[in-house]
């Protein structure tokens, strides 16, 4: 029986290069990238447009995503956001993950509410969403 291998680790420089590559890929389309929020039935609730570049790379090696204009991202259908798909402006998948409020452990966080219930005609604000 062999001994357990240690967990795979990368250097801080490698982690920074990965985050920089993610930012470059997300911004590779002709316009800003977007995060589409969906309910459990895969119904689109809202598409959030990010800034270009899509966020700021922080000293801790994470990419903090920033929403471009909160006033233009209107919710198109009511429902509880549970998943998100982040895509380049020309439709290439950047990543996908779970949606929670800022108190939760989701990959994409919503600001200003408890839970993720959204209402058609309203606006949604992207909370502190960090990509590592």
């Amino acid at each position: 029986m062999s001994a357990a291998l240690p967990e795979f680790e990368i250097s801080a420089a490698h982690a920074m290069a990965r985050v920089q590559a993610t930012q470059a890929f997300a911004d590779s389309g002709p316009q800003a990238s977007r995060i589409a929020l969906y309910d459990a039935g895969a119904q689109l609730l809202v598409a959030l447009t990010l800034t270009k570049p899509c966020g700021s790379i922080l000293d801790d090696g994470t990419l903090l995503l920033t929403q471009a204009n909160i006033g233009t991202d209107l919710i198109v259908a009511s429902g509880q956001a549970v998943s998100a798909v982040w895509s380049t402006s020309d439709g290439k998948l950047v990543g996908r993950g779970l949606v929670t409020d800022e108190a939760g452990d989701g990959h994409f966080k919503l600001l200003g509410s408890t839970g993720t219930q959204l209402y058609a005609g309203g606006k949604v604000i992207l909370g502190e969403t960090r990509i590592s």
Side-chain angles (χ1 to χ4, degrees):
M1 180 173 251
S2 64
L5 295 175
E7 187 174 321
F8 182 75
E9 293 182 46
I10 63 172
S11 69
H14 182 188
M16 184 64 76
R18 285 187 356 177
V19 169
Q20 290 168 338
T22 298
Q23 182 184 43
F25 179 74
D27 291 330
S28 65
Q31 299 174 349
S33 61
R34 295 189 173 169
I35 300 171
L37 305 182
Y38 295 92
D39 67 10
Q43 174 178 284
L44 175 66
L45 302 176
V46 63
L48 308 177
T49 302
L50 299 181
T51 56
K52 191 166 181 175
C54 60
S56 302
I57 297 175
L58 306 178
D59 290 339
D60 67 359
T62 60
L63 172 60
L64 178 62
L65 299 180
T66 52
Q67 189 173 358
N69 186 345
I70 296 162
T72 61
D73 296 331
L74 292 178
I75 300 165
V76 296
S78 296
Q80 186 171 350
V82 296
S83 64
V85 176
W86 180 20
S87 302
T88 64
S89 67
D90 51 0
K92 295 175 186 165
L93 177 66
V94 178
R96 63 181 63 173
L98 300 176
V99 177
T100 61
D101 59 17
E102 286 208 304
D105 293 329
H107 306 101
F108 299 91
K109 298 183 185 280
L110 303 183
L111 179 66
S113 66
T114 300
T116 61
Q117 180 65 43
L118 303 178
Y119 297 97
K123 298 172 185 169
V124 63
I125 302 171
L126 183 66
E128 188 170 304
T129 298
R130 293 176 182 235
I131 305 300
S132 56

